[in-house]
Amino acid sequence: MEKKELGNFIANGNAVLGLEFGSTRIKAVLIDDQNMPVASGAFDWENSLDNGIWTYSLDEIHNGLATCYSNLKKDVKEKYGVKLTKLKAMGISAMMHGYLAFDKDGKLLVPFRTWRNTITGAASEKLSSLFNYPIPERWSISHLYQAMLNKEPHVKDVAFFTTLAGYVHWKLTGKKVLGVGDASGMFPIDIHTKDYSEKMLGQFDELVKPFNFGFKLKDLLPQVLQAGDDAGSLTESGAKLLDRDGELEAGFVFAPPEGDAGTGMVATNSVRPRTGNVSAGTSVFAMVVLEKELSKAYSGKIDLVTTPSGELTAMAHANNCTGEYDKWIKLFGQAIEECGFKIDKPKLYDSLLGAALKGDKDCGGCIPYNYISGESMTGLSQGRPLFVRTQKNNFTLANFMRSQLFTSLGALRTGMNILFDQENVKIDRLTGHGGFFKTQEAGLTAMASAMHTPISLMETAGEGGPWGMALLASYTVNKKGEKLDDWLDKNVFASAKVKSFEATKEDIEGFNAFFANYTKGLAIEKAATENID
């Protein structure tokens, strides 16, 4: 559409909005009838440590919501010269997990406990064993059960608990609901019913019976909805909370609130079985949509969540990715400056990471460890960055940089081996996003070599979770009976610009040789954590 036509489209209330609460940024993305972004707004925020708990206050949540929306309105006004007073549909997404608990009058009982808190170890271990299902520390049910174990007085008054997305949606619509993807980070989902596991709900109720709280767990949880379900409408009070100017009309439809994992899957068109996405930056994680359930639980290694339509998804996560090679590249930049030369940062990265493509396929035997922090995937609670080689290694800049790229994916590959080798999971396509791919050819080569799977990059993937949430809202009002994966293929990604890369047999064999040395050398990394403070 032309600019004037697009302005009229927005002014007439035909645009769709997605708004996502990230850990450091809240962002809103407005899309047109082609499901493409046309305006955005953002608000930066930070969590705070309150009595040992990582949290955001309700006032911060409300202010962030309203300020982000206000900045979106300004962007619409500046670009198209119209006021944003009506919407066709909207959806809220947010960082997953955590614990927001309320009493029967809707009063918050304790400060919001975010996913970042690692204070539920005993609960996580007990529940994982009880359910024979991985229950990470950050999950909502871990927080509730840990509060019981701690004998916290607020638990007897809990009438409802939810996630951040669920809370904001409740305030805007009055509905205590959650999309199945976000719900899967609160409590395990039965992939056959697309609802909380009745078996595990019963196991939990039996476990906590001695506490005599008098409630059933299911009565405390938000109702589970699937992508495309009507999740309520904006209320008058919700409109006032969202738009402090009082210009937004209430009544339009909301999509089920979702978690950032689900919106990332949507934004990379990775919601169909045998597809997945890998996000690589400071940390790295891969999400793979499964064809069937895993044979057993891999607690601490593989997490299980679902897509927004309820398909079981395995997640492998590593704490360390690009952080260590960033430091090496900075060091090389300082060396260049000491020699009297100047080089801008993009060229420095492209030159050094590009050099990796000239290295030996197995990195010439060079073995670095990028463990700035520990890695549960490889059994290390602490990290010590290391570089190891023998005298016979081919120690060149190209091999050094190639090894830095490969080691960035070492812990991730350890988790993926569980899926590939032990569970025989098949993947047709992985879509990548994140800073690891800024030097595209180098990033694609390394990732495809490590994953043994073709890797794709989409131009639109950079829009991220808020766009993914906007797509889910658009699907809610435009689905016409189509399944989510088919609707995305047809209405969003049919004309998407995609760059794909498939590693050569030699690249894969080279990574395998590197990875064999990497795995054997983990004993060196462990010794370093035990002997070097």
Side-chain angles (χ1 to χ4, degrees), residues 97-213:
H97 318 298
Y99 181 70
L100 280 150
F102 302 87
D103 68 12
K104 60 182 176 57
D105 298 318
K107 177 186 175 184
L108 183 69
L109 293 169
V110 289
F112 172 30
R113 298 172 182 181
T114 77
W115 64 272
R116 188 177 181 185
N117 291 286
T118 54
I119 55 176
T120 65
S124 170
E125 184 176 350
K126 175 66 177 178
L127 294 176
S128 296
S129 175
L130 175 68
F131 297 152
N132 189 30
Y133 194 96
I135 307 294
E137 289 185 61
R138 60 187 180 275
W139 278 32
S140 306
I141 192 60
S142 294
H143 282 281
L144 176 65
Y145 184 49
Q146 190 66 52
M148 294 178 176
L149 295 178
N150 294 346
K151 296 182 169 56
E152 295 185 38
H154 83 270
V155 178
K156 69 180 186 307
D157 297 318
V158 175
F160 172 60
F161 72 113
T162 189
T163 65
L164 178 55
Y167 168 72
V168 176
H169 182 92
W170 173 34
K171 292 292 102 177
L172 295 177
T173 68
K175 301 291 186 180
K176 296 177 180 178
V177 300
L178 211 56
V180 63
D182 204 10
S184 71
M186 288 194 74
F187 192 85
I189 295 293
D190 182 333
I191 60 171
H192 304 291
T193 65
K194 313 295 187 187
D195 203 347
Y196 303 116
S197 166
E198 290 289 346
K199 176 185 176 182
M200 295 181 199
L201 286 170
Q203 288 176 310
F204 184 86
D205 287 339
E206 190 66 27
L207 173 69
V208 304
K209 188 180 289 185
F211 290 106
N212 293 315
F213 289 120

Side-chain angles (χ1 to χ4, degrees), residues 72 201 258 273 293 319 408 448:
L72 169 70
L201 286 170
E258 263 300 343
E293 296 180 77
N319 294 331
S408 298

Side-chain angles (χ1 to χ4, degrees), residues 285-301:
F285 64 86
M287 305 194 69
V288 179
V289 186
L290 302 174
E291 295 179 281
K292 61 181 181 179
E293 296 180 77
L294 301 182
S295 64
K296 63 178 184 178
Y298 297 92
S299 296
K301 305 286 187 182

Side-chain angles (χ1 to χ4, degrees), residues 59-123:
D59 285 344
E60 288 176 307
I61 294 169
H62 296 168
N63 178 60
L65 172 70
T67 306
C68 178
Y69 181 78
S70 176
N71 290 333
L72 169 70
K73 287 176 60 179
K74 290 176 185 176
D75 191 46
V76 168
K77 184 68 173 177
E78 290 172 1
K79 285 181 176 176
Y80 308 107
V82 300
K83 283 188 175 183
L84 182 60
T85 61
K86 294 184 284 187
L87 290 168
K88 185 175 184 180
M90 182 177 174
I92 296 291
S93 56
M95 54 190 119
M96 288 178 67
H97 318 298
Y99 181 70
L100 280 150
F102 302 87
D103 68 12
K104 60 182 176 57
D105 298 318
K107 177 186 175 184
L108 183 69
L109 293 169
V110 289
F112 172 30
R113 298 172 182 181
T114 77
W115 64 272
R116 188 177 181 185
N117 291 286
T118 54
I119 55 176
T120 65

Side-chain angles (χ1 to χ4, degrees), residues 183-315:
S184 71
M186 288 194 74
F187 192 85
I189 295 293
D190 182 333
I191 60 171
H192 304 291
T193 65
K194 313 295 187 187
D195 203 347
Y196 303 116
S197 166
E198 290 289 346
K199 176 185 176 182
M200 295 181 199
L201 286 170
Q203 288 176 310
F204 184 86
D205 287 339
E206 190 66 27
L207 173 69
V208 304
K209 188 180 289 185
F211 290 106
N212 293 315
F213 289 120
F215 52 63
K216 296 290 186 182
L217 178 59
K218 191 168 186 178
D219 296 335
L220 309 184
L221 289 161
Q223 178 189 354
V224 179
L225 300 177
Q226 295 181 48
D229 287 346
D230 184 331
S233 302
L234 184 69
T235 62
E236 293 292 344
S237 61
K240 292 175 183 176
L241 184 64
L242 183 59
D243 184 4
R244 289 182 292 209
D245 297 326
E247 297 173 337
L248 183 62
E249 295 180 15
F252 58 80
V253 175
F254 267 68
E258 263 300 343
D260 51 359
T263 57
M265 285 187 265
V266 171
T268 54
N269 197 23
S270 305
V271 298
R272 191 186 295 275
R274 296 177 66 115
T275 67
N277 71 90
V278 56
S279 175
T282 305
S283 63
V284 59
F285 64 86
M287 305 194 69
V288 179
V289 186
L290 302 174
E291 295 179 281
K292 61 181 181 179
E293 296 180 77
L294 301 182
S295 64
K296 63 178 184 178
Y298 297 92
S299 296
K301 305 286 187 182
I302 302 295
D303 294 347
L304 294 173
V305 292
T306 78
T307 70
S309 52
E311 300 289 343
L312 188 63
T313 302
M315 178 179 181

